[in-house]
Amino acid sequence: MSKKLKQIAIYGKGGIGKSTTTSNISAALAEAGYKVMQFGADPKADSTNTLRGGEYIPSVLDLLAERRRVDAYEAIFQGFGGIYCVEAGGPQPGVGCAGRGIITAVELLKQQRVFEELDLDYVIYDVLGDVVCGGFAVPVREGIAEHVFTVSSSDFMAVYAANNLFKGIEKFSTAGGALLGGIIANSINTDFQREIIDDFAAHTKTPIVQYVPRSLTVTQAELSGRTTIEAAPKSEQAEVYRALARRIADHTESKVPTPLGPLELREWSAKWADRLVEQERAAA
């Protein structure tokens, strides 16, 4: 009996640490002995850099721009721990749909039965979550990923992007779409930041999967073109990522979130803005 492939999508606002988190999860799973593919679904095509010593790989759209027919294996490169790295790519700036790369790359790998041939344990999609348009919604809408996680800090725009993702998941939940596994709370270093993200999670009936502190160790690792798991395997931050990977590996039941409406989100953020002002006055 063949093993069951687990497909996970990790969304997040650009610059929030989504690719850093995804690559460290992939590295931790590979370190634990799993066969992993990381599928970069960001038009910048830089999701897998830290799995390959900072080296860029050609995206599926890059290869298809050169010729009409492409062998899927030409777009697959191995990185740290034998992780299979794929970048979907995107169009030239100002031209076409930014989500087209995801649709094209997923279809190419599925048509050529790559997932089955590689006998993978995990495929992890690293998806830009600023705008959950038709292209970026593919892993959710088509039910390609079973479980969706979002990386969010306590900053309003990150929370706003997470709430938009929740709306997309809710919309497609009755049509076989992927459901939400939870929030990966990133860059959480203070009690106040934790209270904000906890409150958002409570309002949207969403679990927090892991708190990930901002760390200089991560910056140092990325500057050397590596994940924290590879560059600083004995660090506290590496243990945080290993714990996150274990929780995702053990996760089995995702749910439909309860996104906030526009007015609810505005009132929620205004409440926290007032609390921040009060805290600063008290500290003065």
Side-chain angles (χ1 to χ4, degrees), residues 142-211:
E142 304 294 330
I144 293 170
E146 303 169 75
H147 308 286
V148 176
F149 297 87
T150 184
V151 177
S152 178
S153 69
S154 60
D155 294 343
F156 177 72
M157 290 312 296
V159 168
Y160 181 86
N163 195 62
N164 267 349
L165 173 65
F166 295 174
K167 290 178 181 177
I169 292 172
E170 183 184 49
K171 177 179 176 61
F172 297 118
S173 62
T174 57
L179 302 182
L180 185 70
I183 297 172
I184 299 167
N186 199 38
S187 298
I188 305 298
N189 288 63
T190 68
D191 291 342
F192 196 77
Q193 291 169 328
R194 185 163 176 154
E195 288 173 22
I196 292 175
I197 200 69
D198 281 351
D199 192 45
F200 173 67
H203 275 76
T204 54
K205 297 181 174 53
T206 306
I208 300 287
V209 181
Q210 179 81 31
Y211 300 96

Side-chain angles (χ1 to χ4, degrees), residues 2-16:
S2 61
K3 60 187 175 187
K4 187 177 185 306
L5 170 64
K6 194 170 185 177
Q7 302 197 61
I8 294 161
I10 297 182
Y11 282 75
K13 175 184 171 297
I16 203 64

